[in-house]
Amino acid sequence: MYFAALLARTEDGWEASDTELDDVETLSDLADLAREASPDEDTVLVLIEQEDAWFGVVRVDGEEDPRIYVSDAAAAARSSYGEILLTDELLGREPGDDGDDLDALDLDGTEDGESDDADDDADGDAGSAEAAVPHGPVGDTEILQDLGVSEKELRSMSDDALGEIAEALGASEVLETVR
C-alpha cells in the first residue's frame, strides 16, 4: 500500500494535501504537480512511502530542478512510484542504460523467451541489472538539511519516516489530516 502527500511551505506554515499519483508517469509530471500546490513558488515536498519497504522525498523549490532522496533504491525499483523517482541521473547511469534490462524482465513467467531469461540469470546478466540499482539510500541526503533534518537523521529514519520528517518540520498535525 502506498501513501503520497504534498507538503507546501507557506508564510503561514506547512499545508498538506494527499495526492493521487495515478496520472504521474515521470519525474517532470511529479514536479509539475508539486508546483501547482504552491502558486508562490515556495518549497513543496512530495512524500511517498510504501508501507515498511521504502520512502522517498522529492523537493521542489520554484522552477529549480527537483531534488530527490529514496531510502532504499532496490525496494523502490520494484514499484511503479519508485521507478518515477529512480532517474538515470539519480542512479548514476547514462540515459537508456536500463532499457534492455527492463525488456528482459520476466515478471509473470508468461512472456516469450522465458527460458532465455533463465539462461541470463545463469550467465550473470541479472546481476548486472541488480547492481545498477543499489540496495540502500540514493539521492540528495541533504535534501532537508535547511529544514532541520540532518543527513544522519534522514538515513536513520524508522518505519514511520514520513511522520518523523513531518514532526521535524513542525507539520505532523497537517500531515495527519491527510493520512
Side-chain angles (χ1 to χ4, degrees), residues 41-106:
E41 296 189 4
D42 290 319
T43 298
V44 178
L45 302 176
V46 181
L47 305 174
I48 303 170
E49 71 180 351
Q50 180 187 6
E51 292 182 341
D52 297 334
W54 66 275
F55 72 92
V57 179
V58 178
R59 179 176 176 160
V60 178
D61 293 302
E63 291 301 316
E64 291 182 27
D65 287 340
R67 296 167 59 192
I68 306 164
Y69 175 81
V70 176
S71 66
D72 186 338
R78 294 186 294 269
S79 86
S80 58
Y81 297 136
E83 287 178 350
I84 293 169
L85 305 181
L86 297 175
T87 63
D88 288 335
E89 181 181 344
L90 188 70
L91 296 173
R93 299 188 296 218
E94 291 296 319
D97 274 0
D98 62 341
D100 291 337
D101 294 336
L102 291 177
D103 291 340
L105 288 178
D106 181 19

